[in-house]
Amino acid sequence: MATKVFIPRVESLANSGLDEIPPEYVRLEFERDDRLGDAIEEEKKSDEGPQIPTIDIKGLDSDNEAVRKRCVEQMLDAAVNWGVMHIVGHGIPAELIDKLREVGTRFFDLPVEEKEKYANDQPSGMIQGYGSKLANSASGRLEWMDYFFHLMFPENQTDLSIWPHYPSDYVEVTKEFGKELRVMATKIFTLLSLGLGLPAEKLETEAGGMENILFQMKINYYPKCPQPNLALGVEAHTDVSHLTFIFHNNIPGLQVYYDGKWVTAKNVSDSIIVHIGDSLEILSNGLFKSVLHRGLVNKEKVRISWTIFAEPHKDNVLLRPLPELVSDASPPKFGPRTFAQHVRQKLFKIKDDESSPPPAAAAAAAAADAAAK
């Protein structure tokens, strides 16, 4: 019988009173640029320079055609040039978001020993549950973050036995939030579809529709770090999803790569951050930008973020540039692939015309990618 791999929890390290982080958490020299530092200090510096755009999507439901058109144009501009935006007017009650923050925070307030009862087992492919990042990247470095990961929606595909049993209202609150987020996702897909000159429902249908777009939630817990200028909560990457939705406990940390520089996201009241991911970049034939981003840490405060990946079913959805966006002047930039194939190609750096890795290696890689989100 295989022995479960022991993975040290970053929370335990942070609470041990260390003054220096272990060497496996120290980022490589090329990653330690002038914007890698304490997240709280970096946010203060970001008052000048470009800012992630903020879009009020209530405009989609306006009776005024000019307001609707402006909303579509703003969303298109952000998706093409940034790949990320702050969304306000999203329709999710602030009280529900606060409740989701509360139940997630209360779970992470439990002693590490209690959280370990929900531990996942990444090497065996059991990726849902409580965990910490394995050193599966080329750098071999670890990230300053623990997490809890599980499928949130559709409800008929979730496994509630994996979800936290404490606090007692975790399941009820998370289910309700999943339903609300699903409605918001349709609004985002609609705006992006209209921006491409397509029918309102086209992009969401091609992305998988109601049954084949899965919402995977990852609660990221970033403990205080004694050397934030040497560590990353999440290393630089793009998401494999269609869309990624993020909100947090009002402690900054997200940086996005824009115009050759790292831009630190500001706290925008009542907003949910939305990223464009690889899958939507493929469907748009590269018109939309899958945003490169990373997560900073800080010395003074614990940061918690809720990240929900809206991703296609691994086998049931074919990712390829939509025919309406392909022409002689704009040939396809991506070959057709399923989501599972895309994950393998990304992890193994496989080109479209190369063969896939061995099945066992591919399965291990898929599990590692899910843990790396």
Side-chain angles (χ1 to χ4, degrees):
M1 182 176 178
T3 303
K4 202 168 184 179
V5 176
F6 173 75
I7 304 170
R9 302 306 177 198
V10 180
E11 180 183 1
S12 297
L13 285 174
N15 291 340
S16 69
L18 77 175
D19 295 320
E20 296 182 356
I21 62 176
E24 60 267 28
Y25 291 91
V26 176
R27 306 311 303 186
L28 298 178
E29 193 68 39
F30 80 90
E31 297 175 284
R32 287 183 257 159
D33 52 71
D34 61 351
R35 298 311 301 269
L36 177 62
D38 187 291
I40 295 173
E41 297 303 317
E42 289 299 325
E43 190 207 22
K44 293 175 182 176
K45 296 177 188 176
S46 67
D47 288 336
E48 297 181 2
Q51 301 288 328
I52 295 172
T54 299
I55 303 171
D56 187 344
I57 63 172
K58 287 199 308 293
L60 176 64
D61 300 318
S62 174
D63 294 331
N64 187 315
E65 183 179 353
V67 172
R68 294 196 304 272
K69 181 180 179 182
R70 177 61 179 155
C71 188
V72 170
E73 290 173 346
Q74 288 177 328
M75 180 66 72
L76 178 64
D77 182 73
V80 169
N81 294 306
W82 280 86
V84 61
M85 60 286 294
H86 292 282
I87 299 297
V88 296
H90 45 69
I92 301 179
E95 298 82 4
L96 180 57
I97 294 175
D98 287 342
K99 286 181 181 178
L100 193 70
R101 284 192 181 106
E102 180 186 351
V103 294
T105 300
R106 287 173 64 195
F107 172 78
F108 272 98
D109 283 343
L110 289 170
V112 170
E113 294 76 18
E114 286 295 313
K115 295 193 283 281
E116 288 291 355
K117 296 176 181 178
Y118 299 90
N120 60 18
D121 188 11
Q122 297 172 46
S124 73
M126 190 182 82
I127 59 175
Q128 296 194 70
Y130 174 61
S132 304
K133 174 76 177 292
L134 291 173
N136 65 328
S137 65
S139 72
R141 294 302 194 265
L142 295 173
E143 296 172 335
W144 197 259
M145 176 259 290
D146 301 322
Y147 64 84
F148 197 101
F149 177 75
H150 67 77
L151 177 65
M152 170 191 275
F153 190 90
E155 282 189 27
N156 63 356
Q157 299 184 46
T158 60
D159 182 356
L160 296 184
S161 69
I162 296 170
W163 293 25
H165 303 151
Y166 177 89
S168 59
D169 53 347
Y170 180 93
V171 171
E172 177 187 355
V173 170
T174 303
K175 279 185 174 182
E176 184 61 29
F177 180 81
K179 294 174 185 175
E180 294 282 350
L181 186 66
R182 189 64 187 81
V183 174
M184 176 186 169
T186 290
K187 294 178 182 179
I188 301 297
F189 278 117
T190 297
L191 286 165
L192 291 170
S193 195
L194 293 172
L196 292 172
L198 302 173
E201 71 283 354
K202 175 69 174 180
L203 195 57
E204 183 172 8
T205 299
E206 294 290 339
M210 182 62 75
E211 285 302 313
N212 285 306
I213 299 178
L214 309 181
F215 287 67
Q216 311 265 16
M217 183 168 74
K218 187 169 175 239
I219 308 175
N220 298 313
Y221 182 90
Y222 306 94
K224 291 180 281 188
C225 178
Q227 294 178 296
N229 59 316
L230 297 180
L232 279 171
V234 179
E235 65 186 11
H237 68 289
T238 61
D239 293 335
V240 292
S241 56
H242 286 307
L243 297 168
T244 302
F245 302 86
I246 304 172
F247 63 96
H248 47 75
N249 62 340
N250 296 317
I251 305 300
L254 173 67
Q255 283 189 331
V256 301
Y257 201 66
Y258 174 77
D259 197 23
K261 297 179 181 179
W262 288 106
V263 175
T264 304
K266 303 287 287 183
N267 285 340
V268 175
S269 180
D270 298 322
S271 73
I272 293 178
I273 297 170
V274 176
H275 289 176
I276 302 294
D278 297 350
S279 296
L280 211 52
E281 182 178 64
I282 292 169
L283 292 181
S284 73
N285 199 27
L287 291 172
F288 297 157
K289 177 181 179 181
S290 183
V291 62
L292 183 68
H293 57 284
R294 66 185 186 182
L296 303 186
V297 291
N298 75 85
K299 285 184 177 182
E300 302 299 328
K301 297 180 180 180
V302 169
R303 180 174 189 257
I304 306 177
S305 69
W306 286 255
T307 303
I308 300 96
F309 305 94
E311 59 188 38
H313 184 281
K314 64 186 181 70
D315 297 316
N316 293 353
V317 177
L318 184 66
L319 298 174
R320 86 284 188 246
L322 298 181
E324 296 90 336
L325 305 178
V326 174
S327 65
D328 290 340
S330 182
K333 296 180 180 178
F334 308 93
R337 80 236 11 219
T338 64
F339 183 64
Q341 289 170 335
H342 175 67
V343 170
R344 290 196 295 268
Q345 289 174 0
K346 184 170 184 176
L347 286 172
F348 287 96
K349 308 272 192 301
I350 298 171
K351 297 179 181 178
D352 289 347
D353 57 352
E354 292 178 335
S355 60
S356 296
D369 181 75
K373 289 175 178 175

